[in-house]
Amino acid sequence: QVVDSSVKILMRLSQEFPRKSIAIVGHSLGAGIASLVTILLSSEGAPFAKLMATGKVKCFAFAPPPVFEPLWALPAWVHGCTYSFVYNMDCVPRTCMGTVSKLYMALKHVDGLPLAPESRLAYISGECQIDYVLPDYRELPANVGSAAGSLFVVGTILALYREDGQVRCEAVAPHMMDRLLLHPDMVHDHAVCCFEEAFEDLRRQVSDAEGCVLS
């Protein structure tokens, strides 16, 4: 319905202003919708397929949930025109049935360790150490993995994080988002203000260094 209700307006604007580009933007759920709208607009025979192929349509998705699989089925220009931004430990771009299932398998593994309740409570409270490595994910068995599946964030994925007092921006592969990271900031880092502050700091860094902190 989003595509159907907007396509006529977008077509009219693209004809009235042929030199202008179109930007599809969203945050969180809106970012997921923006990504899916971009995919639908790029399908064969869609009104904007040619515009996307020539780079006239861009999608900027901030903290998008994973929405598509398999990624190889998408036209190359969808990946080329979509930019998905992930801030630090944000859990939303990493949450789908597959990653939740991997976390569940890790919890099941930890639950099965031969540790007394007293030892577990002492470890959680920081009173003692244990001789076990506690995983935050476990790969799924083949029969479970095919049923659970994993969705992925679309396009060029740009991870924003802070290091040595500076904001870094790094392009990452889709499989880097294929697990939930348990961290105190995993919910906080989803907020719009995190992106606003990060981009403002990046602007200052670029202004000071006359260059861009990208890797």
Side-chain angles (χ1 to χ4, degrees):
Q1 290 182 346
V2 174
V3 174
D4 292 339
S5 62
S6 61
V7 68
K8 292 182 179 179
I9 297 174
L10 292 174
M11 284 297 295
R12 177 176 58 79
L13 291 174
S14 66
Q15 292 170 358
E16 291 178 1
F17 306 97
R19 295 186 180 182
K20 299 288 185 179
S21 298
I22 295 174
I24 304 171
V25 184
H27 170 261
S28 190
L29 179 60
I33 293 173
S35 299
L36 291 173
V37 167
T38 302
I39 293 171
L40 292 173
L41 289 176
S42 71
S43 60
E44 186 175 351
F48 291 100
K50 292 183 179 179
L51 288 176
M52 286 193 176
T54 58
K56 295 283 287 183
V57 178
K58 300 290 185 183
C59 174
F60 300 97
F62 297 90
V67 295
F68 196 87
E69 195 276 331
L71 292 177
W72 56 261
L74 294 175
W77 56 79
V78 172
H79 294 292
C81 77
T82 304
Y83 298 89
S84 296
F85 296 88
V86 178
Y87 183 75
N88 206 37
M89 298 296 177
D90 186 0
C91 64
V92 172
R94 300 177 170 95
T95 302
C96 66
M97 185 64 72
T99 57
V100 171
S101 298
K102 290 179 181 180
L103 178 59
Y104 167 76
M105 295 298 292
L107 294 174
K108 186 177 180 181
H109 170 79
V110 172
D111 192 49
L113 294 175
L115 289 170
E118 296 80 4
S119 299
R120 295 174 184 265
L121 291 173
Y123 175 74
I124 292 173
S125 62
E127 297 175 4
C128 73
Q129 297 296 318
I130 58 176
D131 296 327
Y132 297 96
V133 176
L134 303 182
D136 57 5
Y137 84 104
R138 299 276 285 187
E139 291 297 340
L140 301 175
N143 60 326
V144 177
S146 59
S150 281
L151 297 174
F152 294 93
V153 172
V154 176
T156 300
I157 305 172
L158 298 170
L160 298 163
Y161 61 96
R162 296 182 183 273
E163 183 179 64
D164 299 328
Q166 288 194 318
V167 177
R168 306 290 179 180
C169 183
E170 180 178 356
V172 299
H175 72 270
M176 296 293 288
M177 298 286 114
D178 196 28
R179 56 181 284 198
L180 274 167
L181 301 179
L182 298 182
H183 190 275
D185 292 332
M186 61 190 296
V187 175
H188 168 271
D189 288 345
H190 186 65
V192 172
C193 62
C194 293
F195 290 97
E196 294 173 340
E197 293 170 2
F199 282 117
E200 176 59 21
D201 290 344
L202 269 177
R203 184 195 63 78
R204 290 181 186 141
Q205 291 169 202
V206 172
S207 178
D208 294 341
E210 296 183 351
C212 190
V213 187
L214 285 173
S215 56

